[in-house]
Amino acid sequence: MMITTKGRLLRRLFIPLAAGLLVGVTVVLAQDGPKAPPNPDAGLSDADRANIISQLKDRNAKWVQDFVDQGRDPRTLPVVELPTWSAGARSLAEARAQSRVVIAGIVASTTYHPDPNGLTESVTSVQVNRVAKGATPPIIEVRQVGGPAWSPSGGELQQLEGDPLLLPGQDVVLLLRSGPSGAGYQTVYGAGVYFVTDAGVEAPDSNAFGASINGLSVDAALALFR
């Protein structure tokens, strides 16, 4: 994910959180409809904003570390999708072209780290069972933006729109591109994650290609990307 996108995410994420930190946002309902909530950014200097963001980064880093140390389950957290302003692949052929490898496997484990931008990074180990494109070792590492994060309500599971997080135990089909600086892999945005269920392969709601993939066997789904 490009730094500019992360910057936009931070703006979208931290200003509402700053409201919780500073004033506590409420929406006032009137007879003629809802009124806009107060703007927590109004009247703040650049130094004020930098200080708030620094506090929130520190708070999130501590919260994530505590979450990991306590062995908590990310499935217990409400899922919050973060906008990316990024366009996904426009066709299955384009999704395949963007991928370095296409595999089917099992999510073995996932760890979470606060990153320098104040977000959470997920690092997932996937046991590879079948390969449709490229070549991989038996265990690969997949990095995603998102994971457990602090919120005023007590925590949430953040993930990018179009890129659902991988969680331990999931049976998946993945389209993967090279990670930053060649370290591990990243999912192809918008078309990289498919879940294997009793009913066959299923695309997440954010994936535009569900009509072509939903219900297929793993072999049939992989064949689309060979």
Side-chain angles (χ1 to χ4, degrees), residues 155-196:
E156 59 194 27
L157 187 64
Q158 296 173 353
Q159 63 183 27
L160 299 183
E161 289 177 346
D163 191 29
L165 289 180
L166 301 175
L167 298 174
Q170 290 174 334
D171 195 349
V172 292
V173 170
L174 301 176
L175 279 66
L176 302 170
R177 56 192 177 91
S178 296
S181 303
Y185 296 93
Q186 292 179 320
T187 51
V188 171
Y189 178 72
V193 178
Y194 303 87
F195 301 107
V196 181

Side-chain angles (χ1 to χ4, degrees), residues 110-165:
T110 302
T111 59
Y112 305 103
H113 311 279
D115 77 6
N117 297 289
L119 299 170
T120 304
E121 179 187 48
S122 296
V123 182
T124 300
S125 293
V126 179
Q127 176 184 321
V128 178
N129 295 333
R130 275 173 275 187
V131 179
K133 178 185 177 183
T136 72
I139 300 291
I140 62 173
E141 185 179 271
V142 180
R143 295 176 177 267
Q144 293 178 285
V145 174
W150 174 84
S151 73
S153 60
E156 59 194 27
L157 187 64
Q158 296 173 353
Q159 63 183 27
L160 299 183
E161 289 177 346
D163 191 29
L165 289 180

Side-chain angles (χ1 to χ4, degrees), residues 90-111:
R90 292 168 294 182
S91 66
L92 290 175
E94 185 175 326
R96 183 192 184 283
Q98 290 179 11
S99 64
R100 177 181 172 188
V101 298
V102 179
I103 62 101
I106 302 290
V107 180
S109 64
T110 302
T111 59

Side-chain angles (χ1 to χ4, degrees), residues 51-71:
N51 183 54
I52 290 170
I53 290 175
S54 177
Q55 290 181 55
L56 289 166
K57 285 183 179 181
D58 291 345
R59 177 173 288 187
N60 187 63
K62 182 179 185 305
W63 192 93
V64 172
Q65 190 59 57
D66 288 345
F67 185 95
V68 172
D69 291 345
Q70 294 164 13

